Amino acid sequence: MKSKATRKPYYLSGRPRPVVSATNLGAEHKYDPDSGQVFSEVEIRFNSKRHVDWVKARRGPIVSNRKSRHDKGARSLAEMAIITVARHIEDLTPDHLASVPWPMAMRIWQQLVSRRAESLYTWRTFATAYPSSEEFGQPEYRFRVDLPTPVLPYVEYFAGITSNDLSWLTCLRTSPNSKQMGTADLVAIHKITNLAVLDLSDGPITIDNRSSTFDERVMRSWAELAVAGQAFRHLRVILFGWQEFLSDWIFKYVHAFPSLCYIIVTDCPKMHQRNRRDWEPLSAAAGWEARRAKRSVKDLRPIIESAKPGLGYISGFYDESMELFKDLTHSGRPDLVERLPLLEVEVGAPRVWRHIVDEFASTRTIFFENIARQTRDEERSMAVQASNREQTKRARNQDLAPQGTASPPPKRNTRTGHVPRPSGKSVSDLLGEFQTL
């Protein structure tokens, strides 16, 4: 006879307890007409552990990668060490890898990729331990995180993709019209201090979506934080897609971003190629050149098409800005020329800019370029000319200085006071001649 065993509680069965989180932080006040009571309603949703621990979530199930025995015998000690480290990588920190040389660390990462065991946590560990452009900063080690249905507060996602010590850079795509993203969440993007590329593209029009939360107030808040040196020091490219409130007011605030190279706009009803007369004077006065319709699309297509398997196209805008970034003349531009590890993150369901490739060139896209710059040759030439002028002036003063005196030489063409010419007659003689007449 089969026994009827009762289900064990969570603390005995070993299963993780589901985490309860509120999807809407603000309670909704309602009124019950039958009882006359006013109450607050908060939506509660049970989130599984894999959503809460999204930083350590792997790309897929781990694949067993056991090699068959071969004629050479057992594995070497180095290979066994690599497999062991890869198996326990989630328990390690960048400090544990400090004494591991890069060639060995590269083999550990390849072991993780072959087993599909890489996660955001492991990528951050390697990016912090090996940030050089010759090591983990190479383009082949870029990583992508896709969060189509965010269930946690946006600030938690932003904290997970931030590097305060600038070990890596982040490229973020998100949809301001998403139901989960409020204005406070959009403003909180400034906390990503290592943000390099920002794409604000609204998602498809659905019942759940709403109007975009991006407007001039958000941009003004970002600009004030940037001027205070608290945010957006490394932001190089901003993309605006399907933003209904975007207009020429954007150029009142772009000067606050010291590293900004490109602004790209598409499908914004208040800013397009047909109304250039409305916004072009202000953009030109702010130091931004607007490319024409065909050139804008022609320059964007190679970037959109450069997306590699497993990655998006947003990192291509970072590569496109490398040369222009070196020539910016903004006084607050950080001196960051070396390539760092790059992280691509997509939160929500922002639209993909496939219309740039699939459709014909139209008037819906504008490619703005920062022209407030000068070449390095011009900077060197100006510095050399200033140095030569200073040396010439010092040599001239030394030649004109009299020997044995410490005072500077007299200035040339020195004007003296007026000295009247003697006429030979006094005033009394002139008065006597006047009386005789």
Side-chain angles (χ1 to χ4, degrees):
M1 183 175 180
K2 187 180 296 185
S3 62
K4 296 181 179 179
T6 58
R7 179 179 298 178
K8 294 181 180 180
Y10 282 104
Y11 58 87
L12 293 178
S13 62
R15 291 179 294 168
R17 182 184 298 271
V19 179
V20 180
S21 65
T23 58
N24 187 3
L25 298 179
E28 183 179 358
H29 299 283
K30 291 187 177 182
Y31 170 73
D32 186 4
D34 297 333
S35 61
Q37 295 181 348
V38 179
F39 61 95
S40 300
E41 182 177 305
V42 180
E43 181 182 356
I44 302 296
R45 181 181 301 174
F46 287 90
N47 298 325
S48 62
K49 183 179 178 182
R50 66 185 181 91
H51 287 137
V52 176
D53 198 11
W54 64 278
V55 175
K56 292 187 177 181
R58 300 183 180 92
R59 287 190 171 183
I62 296 180
V63 178
S64 178
N65 192 19
R66 294 183 178 180
K67 294 183 179 180
S68 59
R69 295 183 180 274
H70 46 78
D71 299 336
K72 295 183 180 180
R75 296 187 179 98
S76 64
L77 291 177
E79 188 175 357
M80 293 177 62
I82 290 172
I83 296 175
T84 303
V85 172
R87 187 176 302 169
H88 301 279
I89 191 65
E90 292 185 355
D91 299 327
L92 304 181
T93 63
D95 294 336
H96 292 100
L97 300 178
S99 59
V100 179
W102 167 243
M104 184 68 71
M106 180 177 59
R107 295 176 60 184
I108 297 174
W109 179 259
Q110 292 174 354
Q111 176 71 15
L112 291 170
V113 173
S114 64
R115 299 176 63 241
R116 300 182 63 183
E118 72 274 26
S119 63
L120 176 59
Y121 179 83
T122 58
W123 186 90
R124 294 189 318 187
T125 302
F126 277 80
T128 305
Y130 309 97
S132 173
S133 60
E134 302 296 330
E135 298 174 341
F136 208 66
Q138 301 179 43
E140 60 184 288
Y141 297 107
R142 293 176 180 176
F143 195 75
R144 175 182 171 85
V145 177
D146 192 4
L147 303 168
T149 55
V151 295
L152 300 177
Y154 275 76
V155 290
E156 295 191 18
Y157 293 119
F158 296 160
I161 61 178
T162 301
S163 175
N164 293 323
D165 57 355
L166 205 65
S167 297
W168 75 83
L169 297 175
T170 298
C171 301
L172 174 64
R173 297 192 72 239
T174 187
S175 50
N177 72 329
S178 175
K179 182 180 179 181
Q180 292 86 359
M181 173 168 273
T183 304
D185 298 323
L186 191 61
V187 175
I189 293 179
H190 80 274
K191 297 181 179 180
I192 310 176
T193 55
N194 58 325
L195 186 63
V197 182
L198 177 61
D199 182 1
L200 299 178
S201 296
D202 281 353
I205 300 176
T206 61
I207 298 177
D208 295 334
N209 288 342
R210 56 182 179 180
S211 299
S212 175
T213 55
F214 177 78
D215 54 14
E216 186 174 359
R217 296 177 303 171
V218 175
M219 193 66 186
R220 186 187 304 114
S221 301
W222 285 351
E224 292 174 355
L225 292 168
V227 171
Q230 301 177 7
F232 301 111
R233 294 189 67 247
H234 305 281
L235 182 61
R236 299 188 183 186
V237 184
I238 303 181
L239 296 92
F240 298 104
W242 300 270
Q243 296 302 310
E244 55 183 316
F245 302 116
L246 183 69
S247 184
D248 56 359
W249 49 258
I250 193 71
F251 296 104
K252 296 191 297 183
Y253 308 102
V254 292
H255 69 279
F257 303 88
S259 302
L260 195 58
C261 299
Y262 299 119
I263 300 175
I264 305 170
V265 179
T266 189
D267 285 88
C268 295
K270 296 183 180 180
M271 181 175 287
H272 44 79
Q273 295 284 355
R274 292 184 179 179
N275 64 344
R276 292 181 68 100
R277 295 182 179 179
D278 299 337
W279 49 260
E280 192 169 21
L282 188 57
S283 65
W288 289 83
E289 179 185 6
R291 302 175 185 177
R292 295 291 177 176
K294 291 185 177 180
R295 186 187 173 191
S296 296
V297 176
K298 182 180 178 182
D299 295 341
L300 285 176
R301 278 179 178 172
I303 303 176
I304 303 298
E305 293 178 336
S306 65
K308 298 180 180 179
L311 293 174
Y313 56 82
I314 189 171
S315 59
F317 291 98
Y318 171 78
D319 298 332
E320 185 71 17
S321 67
M322 291 298 294
E323 296 300 326
L324 178 57
F325 172 76
K326 299 176 183 178
D327 300 332
L328 294 181
T329 58
H330 199 289
S331 58
R333 191 206 73 175
D335 190 12
L336 179 64
V337 181
E338 184 181 12
R339 291 179 182 268
L340 294 177
L342 208 61
L343 175 65
E344 292 189 8
V345 182
E346 185 169 311
V347 184
R351 300 189 200 181
V352 182
W353 290 33
R354 288 298 306 177
H355 63 282
I356 302 295
V357 179
D358 299 338
E359 302 178 10
F360 292 103
S362 61
T363 59
R364 46 201 288 200
T365 305
I366 313 173
F367 196 123
F368 291 97
E369 179 180 353
N370 190 349
I371 58 176
R373 64 184 189 274
Q374 61 184 2
T375 63
R376 295 298 179 186
D377 294 337
E378 293 177 352
E379 294 179 357
R380 297 192 188 97
S381 178
M382 294 175 61
V384 171
Q385 292 178 5
S387 177
N388 292 339
R389 287 196 299 268
E390 185 68 20
Q391 293 177 1
T392 303
K393 182 178 179 181
R394 291 178 179 177
R396 183 180 64 244
N397 293 340
Q398 293 177 359
D399 295 340
L400 296 178
Q403 298 296 331
T405 60
S407 59
K411 296 182 179 179
R412 293 177 296 178
N413 301 328
T414 303
R415 296 183 179 181
T416 58
H418 176 69
V419 179
R421 182 181 299 176
S423 58
K425 296 182 180 181
S426 63
V427 178
S428 57
D429 295 337
L430 295 175
L431 289 176
E433 293 179 358
F434 179 75
Q435 292 177 357
T436 57
L437 292 177

